[in-house]
Amino acid sequence: MNQAMKTDPFILRRYFALAIKNLRRRLVRTSLTIAGVALAVTVAVSLGGFMLGYRGAIDRSINMLGFQVMIMAKGCPYEAATMMLKGGTGLLYLPSDTYDKVKSDPEIESITPIFVGVAQKQGSGIRDDAGATNFSVISGIEVLSYKVMKPWIALKSGPGYDGGRWFEADSKTDVVLGFEAAEYEQRKVGDSFYASIAPAGKPEPVMHEFKVVGVLERTGTQDDGTVFMPIDVAREYFGRPAQLTILGIKLKQFNAVKMREFETRWLKLPEVQVVGLQQVKNTLVSLVATAQTMIAAVAVIAIIVALIGVINTILMSVYERTAEIGIMKALGARRGSIFQLIWLETVIICLIGALTGSILAVVGSSLVERAIRSIADFGVSGSIVSITPQVIMYAVSGAVALGFFGGLYPAWRASSMRPVGAISKGV
Amino acid sequence: MNDFIIEGHGLKRYYQRGNETVKALDGVDVSIRKGEIVSILGPSGSGKTTLINLLSGLDAPTEGTLVIDGKSAAGLSEDELVEVRRGVLGFVFQNFSLLPTLTVTENIELPLLFLGLQADPERTRRVIDAVGLTDRANHLPRELSGGQMQRVAIARALIIEPKILVADEPTGNLDRATGESIIALFKKLAKEDGLAILLTTHNTVFGSQADRAITLEDGRIVALNGPPNKLPLH
């Protein structure tokens, strides 16, 4: 060997190029193996995106409630959670004097009473198929305190919406529609809105005609699908003049200690439960935890199957190239050179598979979201699949790490071949 | 100080096949000088490939002493043998053994990768010219004839500027005319570059064109041909 020959500082790049060329020799087999990895990574990324997105959606939805604590009639925390986020059914009611008792609490920054009822839609004429939603969620509110709690709420403007306003506290006909409620019913400012309300204790609903005096901008919360009217009017129509559904509360200082103190003070009232944000979040997260665990198990199985596929492909390739590996050793390749080459091939398959899988997951995230929502209603609005660069980075790193481990055995087998035996097998 | 580049004495290579001990090579003495062409002749199973494997450091003898380019190769492990042959030996095999996805140039430069050396385009071009493949540098092996592929294999062996070229049946898959051109190329390399060339062949005509011919049978040397001063005295 000529001593003037220079060592190559970029030798890894040449190994990389050689590994790519080796993989291209059996393009169909390599592609199928990559597809297996891609599929597993798609599942993993989608799952990661769902876990992250769902938590984010819960956070967003709860933050957009405006209040940190709510007081409501005793019942299941799940009902509390869905009531807060989706409007819910199977409503329970508080005595309205609870509001008078609680509002004097010195730790409260702001408080708003809400009465929620469900009315049958009448005469909308938009949809009458089996899938139509035939009820409207009516929220009776105090406009001033409600706006203090949710300062971002704004009335929509533009053609058909100009002149929108909130209702007077004693108006029996005026309603404000949430963005989606207005869109769904195709109602604009000045239009009529019909709803049949069955007062408590009476079997027959009474149809009421309302006038839409305002339409809200989209908020991404349950407010979008709600019909708002004055709280006293709602209570009267629903036949519950001395009842409330929720007291939304913002504390001056919100932390675990203050929350516990507040809870202790008001749990003395026999009919109420005090529900904090964290409790609601935990309830909602636990609702999907089982589903997430099952999906995670499927993802893990998919990844293991893909990894076995990768190892099988590389091992087959090593056996097919036995003579070639012997030749490489004769040409001067050390054990480490062969190990490096075969290992790189494994990692490249996993890397390409991981990147392809991540792209597929991003492209198909809306489909995944639709599929997940078709399985169950997760009680939150907004996107529940959030595929962030961090999720992709974890998935790609994980796949490459698996490639590192998966490549060890084939690389060891190849590097352990004795050149004489290897060459004679292929010659 | 002698000018032998390979010195092997009392070389034995035994294999175990079940309860039977196969004596593939049974006490052979061979020494090869720089610039010398030595052919190893013999029928199939005579021990030609076993001997060439030992003399090229691809395998270690069961018994005997072996020195390659001043380094002892007897009793070494596989990893230690790699260090003995790296950069010293170039190999040419009967079936060419080119990587099908690499071009002629890439195949020729492959040993440099394993030695951690930079490819020098000028040197590669000279080697390609030397084997007469100037217009085939960017072709893939499947686009070449058998003779051209063997020339690529020779160029691949030469790219590291070895001291010894080992060729196991280099003309075995070639027609007579192409085989003759390969032998002529070997002669030129030995004469001009001082390369020691060790080759096995079934073809006695090609074998007789070497400086010396060693004939094996049942793992032993049965005939030696060549100038008396070059013959090993065993």
Side-chain angles (χ1 to χ4, degrees), chain B residues 122-159:
Chain B
E122 180 55 30
R123 161 134 192 90
T124 304
R125 192 189 58 74
R126 280 204 309 272
V127 172
I128 290 174
D129 289 348
V131 296
L133 289 172
T134 310
D135 57 343
R136 291 283 185 273
N138 295 316
H139 285 234
L140 290 168
R142 66 168 181 270
E143 297 163 344
L144 304 177
S145 68
Q148 287 170 330
M149 282 197 271
Q150 196 59 296
R151 286 170 183 275
V152 176
I154 293 167
R156 183 179 64 184
L158 297 177
I159 192 73

Side-chain angles (χ1 to χ4, degrees), chain A residues 155-156 161-168 171 173-177 188-191 210-215 228:
Chain A
L155 288 160
K156 199 172 172 181
Y161 303 104
D162 283 337
R165 60 173 176 82
W166 282 97
F167 38 74
E168 297 297 330
S171 169
T173 56
D174 293 353
V175 291
V176 169
L177 302 186
K188 293 188 174 177
V189 171
D191 289 350
F210 297 98
K211 185 182 172 194
V212 178
V213 297
V215 173
F228 296 92

Side-chain angles (χ1 to χ4, degrees), chain A residues 123-145:
Chain A
S124 68
I126 306 301
R127 289 179 66 191
D128 57 359
D129 55 279
T133 307
N134 288 319
F135 62 88
S136 291
V137 175
I138 308 279
S139 264
I141 60 169
E142 259 184 22
V143 174
L144 279 179
S145 62

